[in-house]
Amino acid sequence: ALALSAPTAPPHWEGTALPVLSVRDAARQRNELPFARFPDPVLRLDAHAVTAFDDDLAATAQKLARARRREGAVGLAATQCGIDAQLVVLGDDVYVNPALSSARPVVFDVWRETCLVLPPDVSVETLRFRHVHVQFRDLHGRPRTTTLHGERARAVQHEVDHAHGILIVDHAADLVHSDAFPALARIEAPFHHDRSRRAWRVVE
């Protein structure tokens, strides 16, 4: 007899509503950092620059690195864990107050990106600079500059987007739909035009 499988239902998606933490609060709470899920308002936070380069910052960076490994992420921005700080981890590297600029030769690559804060059926075609300069501070407040290429350039652009409240759906020409979270397009519709314009201003 022929067995017919039932249609697979889309995975259920539940958002979060994390409290906004300072670097100090994040460093001193006992628990590991939580992880935000759309449509958590904290994901739209344009984070403040870090001004105190102290033990709290170092401890928060360590917690963020652990959260990155726990979530299986290439990189993570502090806002994804509810922290109001321009702080990004990418692999073993930490970027404080990162600012991006295009590097020569100016070349764009097309990527198909997903994001852990969004429902798993959401993917967006993005256009990213192949080469980017990153100006940032290290954990001691010393100014640093590095140049990233290819996949790491894409990843740092993705994470710095997060630090400014920008998601991959903002890079889409049209509204993005999700079977796992049907309200996504409705929630984004009033803001999509302005957010898509902002998404291109992150890299100078």
Side-chain angles (χ1 to χ4, degrees):
L2 180 63
L4 298 177
S5 59
T8 302
H12 181 64
W13 180 263
E14 289 186 2
T16 56
L18 301 184
V20 178
L21 301 175
S22 67
V23 168
R24 181 180 184 276
D25 290 340
R28 301 186 183 193
Q29 69 172 13
R30 294 184 177 181
N31 297 332
E32 291 300 306
L33 296 176
F35 191 72
R37 290 158 64 95
F38 184 90
D40 198 320
V42 77
L43 294 170
R44 291 305 188 174
L45 181 66
D46 191 355
H48 286 90
V50 172
T51 56
F53 296 84
D54 54 15
D55 290 344
D56 286 339
L57 178 63
T60 297
Q62 289 179 353
K63 284 189 170 185
L64 196 62
R66 289 198 297 271
R68 180 193 70 78
R69 292 190 292 270
R70 182 192 73 217
E71 299 295 332
V74 173
L76 209 61
T79 52
Q80 291 174 271
C81 295
I83 304 167
D84 184 2
Q86 291 181 22
L87 175 64
V88 165
V89 294
L90 186 60
D92 294 327
D93 297 323
V94 179
Y95 304 95
V96 185
N97 302 338
L100 305 182
S101 59
S102 59
R104 294 185 181 277
V106 177
V107 180
F108 293 95
D109 288 325
V110 177
W111 297 85
R112 173 63 63 173
E113 295 191 40
T114 59
C115 184
L116 293 172
V117 306
L118 292 168
D121 61 343
V122 171
S123 66
V124 176
E125 191 173 88
T126 63
L127 197 62
R128 301 288 193 183
F129 288 97
R130 184 181 297 177
H131 316 285
V132 291
H133 295 309
V134 188
Q135 292 181 300
F136 64 101
R137 301 273 176 170
D138 66 17
L139 290 173
H140 302 286
R142 295 173 297 210
R144 304 288 190 189
T145 303
T146 190
T147 303
L148 301 180
H149 310 277
E151 161 59 19
R152 284 187 69 80
R154 181 210 64 78
V156 79
Q157 289 171 82
H158 181 114
E159 300 308 332
V160 173
D161 274 357
H162 275 300
H164 294 283
I166 295 168
L167 304 177
I168 57 171
V169 293
D170 302 331
H171 287 270
D174 300 310
L175 287 170
V176 175
H177 296 267
S178 168
D179 291 333
F181 190 71
L184 187 150
R186 174 178 56 79
I187 291 171
E188 289 296 299
F191 314 104
H192 183 70
H193 177 71
D194 289 339
R195 286 173 175 168
S196 63
R197 294 178 64 185
R198 282 189 62 233
W200 275 105
R201 297 175 185 168
V202 172
V203 181
E204 296 180 356

